[in-house]
Amino acid sequence: MKNHKRIFLAIPMAMVMSLAMAQYPAIRVAEHTGGPIAANQSIKVNTRGVLSAPLSVDGPKASFTIRGADVEQAAWTEDFESSATIPVGWDTEKKSHTAWSLKKPNSSYSTADNSRALYVEGDYRAYNREISSATTSSLEVPDEAMLRAYIYYSINYDDYCRLIISASTDDFENDITELWNSKNGDGDNTAHWHSVEASLAKYAGKTVKLRFTYSWGANDEGFKVGGYLGDFYIDGITVTAPGSIDGISVATGETIDFVDTSTGNGIKSWEWSFPGATPSASKEKNPTVYYTIDGKYDVSLTVTDADGNVSTATMPSFVTVTGTAPTAQMSISNSFRYLATLNPMVAPLADITFTDTSEGYPTDFSWTFSKYNDITGQHIVSHKAEGAEAVNSFEYLHNWVIEHEVSNMHGTSKATETVSAEYSGNITNFMHGDHATTFDLEGYGTFPGNNKMKITKYAEKFSKPTAPIMIDGVNVYFATASAEQLADQITNIGVHLCSSENGIPGKPIVSWWWQISDLDASSDLSVSTWFPFPELPVVDDEFFIVIDGFADLYDDTDVSIYMADFRDSHNTTYMFKDNKWVDVSTYFPAGKNHTSLLVLPSVSHSVIASATGAEPLLVFDENGGNKEFDLFSFLGYKTPVESSADWCRVISSPNGLTVDTLIIECDPLSDGVTEREATITPTDGYSVYPITIRQTQKSGITDAVTDSDTQFIVDGLEIHAADAATVTLYTIQGQQLSSGTTVTAPAPGLYIATSGSKAVKILLKND
């Protein structure tokens, strides 16, 4: 019988859902009169521009505006409200099972009443799938035109059908441009109105028709027979031209799409100037920028035609930017968690990078790293840092508290995170507040587990660790594991450690299998099933744990794995459906559709460092000799230890413990050599810890003594002379380090300082 490594959890079960909404920036629109412009009507933009040079009659005239539905003028519209039938001039294909009609939708895409929209619906049977289209009458496209529309549909039906919008100048014979495809829809997977926008700049000055095509879905990519089952509402179709605007008000971080509306023949180059923006300049015809600091900002555009004629338009204070108080957030260089605490797990003694990810564009950043005392509940400050990024190593085990405070002119915000510094343990992607559960697929099986939906594998993604980790196996929590038929009972369920390739599972590194009859399952998370990896693989990058064997498990078989109840972010679970890997959050209905599998790799960090915190530096005099260096290595170290020079070497052998004393031997200096340096590099095979070996002749200082009456003033690791004279700092072995009115020691320790004829030994320490 297998040797299970069991882990005991008590996590309750629950599931919830949520929705989200978006807003548009505020803009100021210049007044204009009249209705929608004709296709051949010129568009006058109020640029208040300043010309940089006199122009010839045929020279260019620089001008610009911005994109935005509230700015642009309608050149052609159709909202299906003027008639109860399909508009005159439209052509809808007559198909057997796919019909086009006008129908009142359940909701409106705007605040106005919406009594009719163009509607198309496919048959509910796959064998009646079809391709069908509705084509507009001809329309003239103005310069820099945009197509805007609203489409009501559910992303959940993408497997079965899609809607494609395309344009053509020749009745879709040869010239066909796809403008939009519902397969690229995002946001809530459930049915709602999607705002559609696409550029028609390619067709400026041309006559085109637009076509809406009910087409095949993801399941029919190979044969492209047609769509079925799903439906679409189409409404609020508008072809727009640039409008006049004399300013725009935005929040920090909001993007602005600028549009060149300059006139003149043969304009060849554009020089935009956006002081205070990102980017601050551009050579594109229609650039996009954003701002991060409050203020009013000028915008300038200079255009040059083929004959070298130049024109500049400047809009003073065109952009008004208003910020908000920041919301502090931070990112840790890894995201998986230590099972015992559900806090992010980091490697002790390793340099860990923390990055500011705050919202609201803060200008000031501070970090505080404190050791948490589990007994007293106190935080003992260990380290502080400034800047948008901080690097810290954790010299003590278990819980540390990181406080990140940010501020700007609008306010201050603080975020707090607790991390667990651990050498080894079980890791998970479960987060605080998660509950273990499974999902009933309503007659199609269980998620995650055996099913009738062509889901044959499941995978859990783990981030790159803060130091290489050795994985000795994986605990998997099965909610159910039963089979009535003998053939199913002996079916293998496999667990595989796989690399990550482009964000999805790659090649297997190591595997283990158990038959269904050997799996441990429980309704209360009291046991897990241990899948060992005897090869003890080590990974130092993003990786996946893949579970397979579900391909042929349907009737009379019930195998399922616990997962976290659906949440609104941090999905780490993937499924292999229809022969491709799918991010679970992109498949299930939106709102809360992110989850993690309860699969727990057992890991040990590859950590190698100084056992005492001493600087990795040994200094020898010209005579050489032996010195000791206390090394910590959680996985041990390999021999022989590499040396970059043949005049120094490690002569000791490993003691088999995590803390060992290296004995390093150094030869005497060769004749004519006054100083040399080499590197001794202990490694456990995955991490390295270079130790610098420096050998130098003794200095002329022979009688340095400690003198309490000295004129040296010490401030932590800094030292200077009270009379502002030059100070020279030496190691205790006599090697000169630095010289100046103020010198700083590289690390705490005993040093020699000289000034004039005075030489003293001084013990320097951190404040």
Side-chain angles (χ1 to χ4, degrees):
M1 187 66 180
K2 61 186 181 298
N3 178 22
H4 286 315
K5 179 185 287 188
R6 302 175 186 269
I7 294 181
F8 300 89
L9 290 177
I11 305 177
M13 302 185 181
M15 299 185 71
V16 289
M17 303 288 290
S18 70
L19 296 172
M21 298 183 68
Q23 296 180 340
Y24 293 97
I27 55 177
R28 302 193 304 274
V29 182
E31 294 183 0
H32 60 84
T33 59
I37 62 170
N40 59 356
Q41 180 179 340
S42 63
I43 304 165
K44 297 181 179 179
V45 180
N46 175 18
T47 64
R48 296 182 282 124
V50 179
L51 301 182
S52 62
L55 295 176
S56 67
V57 175
D58 298 325
K61 183 177 182 180
S63 63
F64 58 86
T65 184
I66 66 167
R67 291 208 191 283
D70 294 336
V71 178
E72 297 158 1
Q73 301 182 56
W76 180 90
T77 64
E78 182 58 72
D79 62 5
F80 306 102
E81 297 296 318
S82 61
S83 173
T85 59
I86 300 292
V88 174
W90 282 58
D91 178 31
T92 56
E93 284 188 280
K94 304 298 187 294
K95 293 291 181 122
S96 300
H97 306 286
T98 306
W100 295 84
S101 64
L102 297 189
K103 184 178 178 179
K104 180 177 177 60
N106 295 327
S107 62
S108 177
Y109 58 88
S110 69
T111 57
D113 183 49
N114 194 11
S115 60
R116 281 184 292 273
L118 183 63
Y119 178 73
V120 60
E121 179 181 24
D123 194 274
Y124 68 92
R125 293 160 293 195
Y127 54 81
N128 283 336
R129 55 192 177 189
E130 290 178 325
I131 299 173
S132 182
S133 64
T135 306
T136 69
S137 55
S138 297
L139 59 104
E140 300 294 324
V141 179
D143 289 343
E144 296 296 341
M146 293 290 292
L147 168 67
R148 300 188 181 276
Y150 293 90
I151 314 293
Y152 184 91
Y153 68 98
S154 169
I155 296 175
N156 288 326
Y157 288 101
D158 185 68
D159 281 352
Y160 316 110
C161 62
R162 289 171 179 162
L163 187 74
I164 300 171
I165 305 177
S166 52
S168 175
T169 58
D170 61 1
D171 282 323
F172 299 91
E173 291 293 331
N174 298 301
D175 173 50
I176 304 173
T177 299
E178 182 177 301
L179 303 175
W180 179 85
N181 192 319
S182 64
K183 72 177 180 181
N184 299 319
D186 55 15
D188 191 340
N189 281 28
T190 56
H192 68 281
W193 287 102
H194 296 252
S195 177
V196 173
E197 64 175 43
S199 173
L200 290 171
K202 171 183 176 180
Y203 291 107
K206 297 180 180 179
T207 301
V208 303
K209 291 183 179 180
L210 303 177
R211 174 166 288 179
F212 301 84
T213 303
Y214 186 84
S215 186
W216 60 83
N219 287 346
D220 191 25
E221 287 280 10
F223 296 101
K224 298 179 171 55
V225 175
Y228 72 104
L229 194 61
D231 59 344
F232 297 86
Y233 287 94
I234 304 163
D235 213 345
I237 311 168
T238 309
V239 174
T240 65
S244 296
I245 177 175
D246 60 11
I248 180 171
S249 296
V250 296
T252 50
E254 288 188 81
T255 58
I256 308 171
D257 297 323
F258 282 89
V259 180
D260 167 57
T261 54
S262 304
T263 58
N265 294 323
I267 294 177
K268 295 297 185 181
S269 66
W270 298 262
E271 297 282 348
W272 293 84
S273 175
F274 305 106
T278 302
S280 60
S282 176
K283 296 182 181 295
E284 296 180 11
K285 186 175 188 291
N286 298 321
T288 298
V289 304
Y290 67 93
Y291 296 80
T292 61
I293 300 177
D294 297 49
K296 293 181 179 292
Y297 297 94
D298 300 347
V299 176
S300 293
L301 169 63
T302 298
V303 295
T304 305
D305 66 15
D307 296 326
N309 297 313
V310 177
S311 173
T312 298
T314 299
M315 296 278 274
S317 301
F318 181 76
V319 180
T320 300
V321 181
T322 303
T324 59
T327 300
Q329 296 177 2
M330 71 181 89
S331 172
I332 307 174
S333 52
N334 77 299
S335 60
F336 60 70
R337 294 167 180 264
Y338 182 49
L339 178 64
T341 63
L342 294 186
N343 297 327
M345 182 183 183
V346 298
L349 303 178
D351 286 339
I352 313 298
T353 300
F354 296 82
T355 304
D356 172 72
T357 56
S358 302
E359 298 178 352
Y361 297 95
T363 54
D364 297 292
F365 314 84
S366 67
W367 304 81
T368 302
F369 299 88
S370 304
K371 179 69 180 76
Y372 180 78
N373 189 309
D374 295 313
I375 298 176
T376 66
Q378 294 179 326
H379 298 172
I380 304 171
V381 176
S382 172
H383 177 62
K384 291 188 175 183
E386 303 292 331
E389 187 174 275
V391 178
N392 188 67
S393 60
F394 300 92
E395 64 268 30
Y396 299 104
L397 291 178
H398 310 317
N399 291 341
W400 287 74
V401 177
I402 297 93
E403 292 182 340
H404 179 40
E405 185 172 281
V406 297
S407 61
N408 62 18
M409 63 185 296
H410 298 282
T412 300
S413 176
K414 180 183 290 186
T416 301
E417 178 70 88
T418 301
V419 301
S420 294
E422 309 292 341
Y423 289 119
S424 61
N426 288 91
I427 61 173
T428 179
N429 286 317
F430 265 54
M431 306 171 69
H432 292 286
D434 282 349
H435 304 86
T437 188
T438 56
F439 187 80
D440 186 359
L441 294 174
E442 299 180 355
Y444 287 86
T446 303
F447 181 87
N450 62 293
N451 63 91
K452 298 180 181 179
M453 296 182 64
K454 299 181 181 178
I455 304 172
T456 59
K457 305 177 187 178
Y458 299 92
E460 184 70 2
K461 178 188 284 188
F462 290 88
S463 67
K464 175 182 172 67
T466 53
I469 53 175
M470 182 174 66
I471 305 177
D472 61 337
V474 179
N475 285 283
V476 179
Y477 280 83
F478 289 95
T480 55
S482 63
E484 293 188 10
Q485 302 298 321
L486 177 61
D488 289 333
Q489 293 173 13
I490 62 175
T491 297
N492 283 330
I493 298 295
V495 169
H496 316 272
L497 169 64
C498 295
S499 62
S500 175
E501 297 179 7
N502 299 317
I504 61 174
K507 297 178 181 178
I509 299 171
V510 64
S511 304
W512 192 269
W513 295 265
W514 290 120
Q515 295 177 357
I516 290 178
S517 58
D518 289 329
L519 302 179
D520 287 327
S522 67
S523 60
D524 59 359
L525 298 167
S526 58
V527 295
S528 65
T529 303
W530 172 242
F531 289 77
F533 294 154
E535 295 88 345
L536 300 179
V538 173
V539 296
D540 189 24
D541 209 339
E542 182 179 88
F543 66 95
F544 283 85
I545 299 298
V546 174
I547 307 174
D548 63 11
F550 302 96
D552 300 315
L553 303 180
Y554 300 131
D555 299 331
D556 302 326
T557 304
D558 185 11
V559 178
S560 60
I561 309 162
Y562 279 112
M563 69 176 190
D565 53 354
F566 285 123
R567 53 182 182 252
D568 57 7
S569 62
H570 298 99
N571 182 71
T572 55
T573 301
Y574 291 70
M575 60 187 186
F576 196 70
K577 185 181 187 312
D578 299 321
N579 295 313
K580 65 180 180 180
W581 285 107
V582 179
D583 181 323
V584 165
S585 66
T586 66
Y587 183 79
F588 285 102
K592 289 194 173 182
N593 55 3
H594 298 246
T595 189
S596 299
L597 298 179
L598 196 52
V599 298
L600 315 175
S602 174
V603 307
S604 298
H605 275 119
S606 164
V607 176
I608 186 167
S610 167
T612 62
E615 182 184 6
L617 170 67
L618 293 178
V619 179
F620 292 81
D621 61 21
E622 67 267 27
N623 298 317
N626 295 343
K627 290 195 175 185
E628 296 180 349
F629 187 89
D630 292 327
L631 182 74
F632 175 88
S633 181
F634 190 70
L635 302 180
Y637 67 93
K638 296 183 177 298
T639 57
V641 178
E642 181 181 349
S643 174
S644 65
D646 59 5
W647 51 266
C648 61
R649 65 203 64 86
V650 174
I651 61 174
S652 56
S653 299
N655 62 12
L657 304 177
T658 56
V659 176
D660 203 341
T661 299
L662 301 181
I663 300 176
I664 298 175
E665 182 181 61
C666 178
D667 297 338
L669 272 177
S670 303
D671 292 340
V673 178
T674 59
E675 186 176 81
R676 59 186 177 183
E677 189 171 288
T679 303
I680 297 287
T681 310
T683 178
D684 60 5
Y686 315 105
S687 300
V688 298
Y689 189 73
I691 302 171
T692 300
I693 309 301
R694 187 174 295 150
Q695 188 177 24
T696 183
Q697 286 184 336
K698 292 180 180 178
S699 71
I701 301 172
T702 57
D703 296 319
V705 295
T706 302
D707 185 351
S708 60
D709 192 30
T710 182
Q711 296 301 305
F712 293 110
I713 298 175
V714 175
D715 182 9
L717 297 180
E718 288 187 353
I719 182 171
H720 63 274
D723 59 1
T726 298
V727 177
T728 302
L729 189 67
Y730 297 85
T731 67
I732 197 64
Q733 293 84 7
Q735 178 197 1
Q736 182 176 326
L737 296 176
S738 58
S739 183
T741 55
T742 299
V743 293
T744 303
L750 189 63
Y751 294 88
I752 298 172
T754 68
S755 181
S757 60
K758 178 73 71 175
V760 297
K761 294 179 181 177
I762 297 181
L763 181 63
L764 300 179
K765 300 182 291 184
N766 285 317
D767 288 336

